[in-house]
Amino acid sequence: EFLLAINCELEKAQKTKVLIDSEIHLPGEKFICVYSSDEKKIGEEIEIKEADKGKNYLELEIPAKGRAIYRSF
């Protein structure tokens, strides 16, 4: 599974929580950054977290005018 994140803000980075299909991905599983406009993030792994009511999510930070693509393991 792939996730594409785009920040349309021209001057500030954005932090966001992205809901992940809880039937496919469990808390503790990881996604890896396969592309980012911030090259330091490429290869970074982020862990799925659990929110209320069994919803799972990823926390992302995308730079101003930035893009990123993450792939599940």
Side-chain angles (χ1 to χ4, degrees):
E1 185 170 20
F2 287 87
L3 169 70
L4 168 64
I6 300 172
N7 181 0
C8 295
E9 285 284 340
L10 299 177
E11 297 181 11
K12 65 178 182 175
Q14 294 287 319
K15 287 186 178 183
T16 189
K17 294 179 180 177
V18 179
L19 288 177
I20 301 296
D21 188 332
S22 299
E23 292 183 17
I24 299 174
H25 301 289
L26 301 173
E29 292 180 1
K30 295 183 180 181
F31 275 62
I32 187 168
C33 182
V34 295
Y35 169 80
S36 178
S37 52
D38 178 359
E39 292 181 10
K40 296 178 297 211
K41 298 235 181 219
I42 296 173
E44 175 184 76
E45 297 178 6
I46 53 175
E47 189 171 303
I48 298 171
K49 299 178 181 177
E50 185 174 9
D52 294 336
K53 300 176 187 168
K55 303 287 184 185
N56 297 335
Y57 68 94
L58 293 170
E59 281 186 300
L60 303 177
E61 184 171 352
I62 308 298
K65 300 181 276 185
R67 295 130 353 255
I69 299 172
Y70 288 86
R71 178 180 53 84
S72 62
F73 278 43

